[in-house]
Amino acid sequence: MSYELKTVFASLPQMERGVSKVIGGDPKGNNFLYTNGKSVIIRNIDNPAIADIYTEHPHPVLVAKYAPSGFYIASGDVSGKIRIWDTTQKEHLLKYEYQPFSGKIKDIAWTEDSKRIAVVGEGREKYGAVFLWDSGSSVGEITGHNKIINSVDIKQTRPYRLVTGSDDNSTAFFEGPPFKFKFTMSVSADHGRFVNCVRFSPDGNRFATASADGQIFLYDGKTGEKVAALGGSKAHEGGVYAVSWSADSSHLISASGDKTVKLWDVASNVAVTTFHMGTDVLDQQLGCLWQKDHLLSISLSGYINYLDRNNPSRPLRVVKGHSKSIHCVTVHRNEGRSYIYSGSNDGHINILSPGCTTGVNDEFSGKGHSNLVSEMVVDEGGQLVTCSMDDTIRYTNLTKKDASDLVKMDVQPKCVAVGGGGYALAVCIGQLVLLKDKKKCFTLDNLEFQPEAGALHPGGGTAAVGGSDGKVYLYSIQGNTLKADGKTLEVSGPITDLVYSNDGAFLAVSDEKKVVTVFAVADGYALKNEFYGHHAKVVCLAWSPDNEHFASGGMDMMVFLWTVSDADKRVKIPDAHRLHHISSLAWLDEHTLVTTSHDASIKQWTVKF
């Protein structure tokens, strides 16, 4: 028995309204990178389905940048730690770790020889530092600002120059090394609001500053003298959050809160192309990157847009996915193709087609959930049934991809299960609700236990409900009612999940005491086996299509693959998701397992028994 990680469907960048997002580019032009929570995500720019995740920071990471050599990446977190790590090895070995100041690191810049690093942000005593990458020794001082510094860049040609942009509405200019403060571009003459981004052109002749006042100014890269204001009095109608230069320094792109990205011809000072990204608030553009022939921008939604110069109204590609914790996953085969459906704590449901070489992501049209999606299953009619903390259960037609039918619950549903005959069971706080054909048909209140999870037997007729008292309660479905059988099954502790095998022969139950118990249904729910191995609470279960094996995921970040007939025959996947517990599992086929976690990524594993 063995396993192998086949694919990582990485999370999107974590976005915050009104805060620019730095996207780093690989100097060879092959990859781009960004951050989400404690992860740094590296993606192939030609095929963003190829991804790698660095997870060694103990605190949320805000920025990561490649060294010009391409061999190392420097990443900075909210505590002020900067880690410099290797890009050539799969393990990403740590080379150095420094703490230039205590507080958020918001931007990083390297000198072209990959020997010096500048970091800026929100320190307590200072807002920036410049040091040698291999010793941490200071090579100058970043002064001249009295508020948070949002952005820094270093001229990539000698003589070196360094520039910073701050919340004090000013830009500071430095000469070096060692870098010394030269002067500040005065507030009255230039930007009237926060400076969000500063970037030198690759040839070093110019640098651009972008501000929340909608203006972009160009300065001489060597002297710091103002050269022009792009677009005259205003470059954008909204705040400008990021700029990125073309490799030949003749053009740049700018991303704005007015929901557009503009492509500027620097010499003639005109916007050659305006990319209109939408009308919703989530279409605000907070980051951009010009990498080889690719023009990328990042929306407030976290979506990564590949801009099309020939068709400004429609991106070439939009990389969708999750930017928040994923709570549930299910799979379904439709028209000969497999799909993975996942739901996150912002109510977003994502559609992933793993067979497609580009790992296409999509979403449903229509109004979806407005809060955390806690459970999802596909019923016999090919509808996705989801329950959410917005106190609703939704039925979504998977062919039309339209979230249409909605059932309002009296109390918050925790999970939902489906069975034959159009039945569904919603397990709510202190309540069980039986649904038939998308309508509530029976409610059971005043329970003697607190229900936590539920399952419907595939053959119909039976509902199993797990309680916080460590017991499984069995009910008969009689017409439109639920009737207690008076039969209970006992497990080791409070129940977290329970699932019938696809053929209905077994019921697997997981509990908080780290045990999975399997009962044989045909033998009157006699105990078949108990499975031990997890180091912490077991959270979720999923049966393989072969009904011989099942998977369990726990708070210990481990996934176990079990054989029903032999509790000792198992496969352990340690650190399946490095930073968070396993939140949900599903089988694409009997040799492919899908796992999700609060790291907002989806992983696909190949399993051999």
Side-chain angles (χ1 to χ4, degrees), residues 2-314:
S2 64
Y3 70 89
E4 182 190 358
L5 178 60
K6 186 182 178 190
T7 317
V8 176
F9 301 103
S11 62
L12 295 176
Q14 200 159 28
M15 307 301 288
E16 192 181 332
R17 189 169 177 182
V19 178
S20 61
K21 188 71 182 179
V22 178
I23 328 177
D26 160 19
K28 296 184 179 72
N30 300 326
N31 301 320
F32 64 100
L33 75 166
Y34 55 83
T35 62
N36 182 314
K38 296 175 186 174
S39 306
V40 177
I41 292 107
I42 306 167
R43 296 183 92 150
N44 181 289
I45 199 154
D46 294 317
N47 181 3
I50 300 170
D52 190 7
I53 305 177
Y54 178 79
T55 56
E56 298 300 317
H57 275 273
H59 302 283
V61 200
L62 295 180
V63 59
K65 286 275 188 77
Y66 272 95
S69 67
F71 297 136
Y72 294 97
I73 288 171
S75 50
D77 65 30
V78 297
S79 75
K81 279 248 169 53
I82 184 157
R83 293 175 72 90
I84 301 165
W85 40 279
D86 176 84
T87 62
T88 58
Q89 309 294 317
K90 200 173 188 304
E91 293 77 27
H92 299 308
L93 298 172
L94 180 69
K95 186 77 174 170
Y96 302 106
E97 183 178 70
Y98 302 113
Q99 177 115 29
F101 51 81
S102 56
K104 283 181 188 174
I105 291 179
K106 298 196 75 174
D107 202 6
I108 295 170
W110 293 75
T111 51
E112 45 76 37
D113 57 5
S114 301
K115 289 183 177 169
R116 301 167 192 85
I117 297 176
V119 300
V120 298
E122 192 179 338
R124 293 202 182 98
E125 289 96 34
K126 58 181 183 176
Y127 302 115
V130 202
F131 52 89
L132 291 170
W133 86 294
D134 55 355
S135 67
S137 305
S138 175
V139 281
E141 281 194 339
I142 293 184
T143 55
H145 292 293
N146 56 27
K147 285 186 180 172
I148 299 163
I149 301 178
N150 295 313
S151 187
V152 64
D153 204 19
I154 296 174
K155 185 165 166 275
Q156 294 297 292
T157 53
R158 291 175 186 267
Y160 288 147
R161 299 288 183 264
L162 184 149
V163 65
T164 54
S166 164
D167 269 8
D168 63 10
N169 305 355
S170 71
T171 306
F173 190 74
F174 302 78
E175 291 180 353
F179 289 99
K180 292 189 181 71
F181 173 74
K182 202 74 183 158
F183 56 82
T184 302
M185 289 61 165
S186 69
V187 180
S188 55
D190 295 339
H191 291 299
R193 293 193 62 197
F194 301 162
V195 179
N196 290 319
C197 185
V198 293
R199 292 292 180 258
F200 276 98
S201 58
D203 63 11
N205 291 339
R206 299 273 186 271
F207 69 87
T209 66
S211 164
D213 60 8
Q215 293 182 299
I216 301 170
F217 291 121
L218 296 178
Y219 299 86
D220 184 284
K222 196 172 174 183
T223 65
E225 285 177 32
K226 190 166 163 186
V227 176
L230 276 189
S233 61
K234 258 197 176 177
H236 283 272
E237 291 305 310
V240 187
Y241 290 99
V243 292
S244 185
W245 289 84
S246 62
D248 64 3
S249 303
S250 65
H251 292 73
L252 66 81
I253 53 171
S254 56
S256 168
D258 65 7
K259 310 176 188 75
T260 68
V261 175
K262 289 189 179 181
L263 170 59
W264 299 89
D265 183 320
V266 174
S268 59
N269 193 359
V270 291
V272 191
T273 312
T274 300
F275 304 92
H276 294 277
M277 305 309 296
T279 54
D280 192 84
V281 68
L282 291 174
D283 296 319
Q284 292 182 358
Q285 301 300 299
L286 300 181
C288 60
L289 177 70
W290 194 318
Q291 182 84 321
K292 283 201 301 194
D293 300 329
H294 299 288
L295 306 183
L296 304 188
S297 76
I298 297 188
S299 306
L300 176 56
S301 61
Y303 289 176
I304 301 163
N305 312 294
Y306 283 64
L307 306 176
D308 185 354
R309 275 183 265 190
N310 300 320
N311 184 4
S313 58
R314 189 185 178 93

Side-chain angles (χ1 to χ4, degrees), residues 531-546:
F531 300 83
Y532 299 88
H534 281 283
H535 299 164
K537 179 166 89 173
V538 187
V539 178
C540 49
L541 299 167
W543 281 93
S544 164
D546 66 8

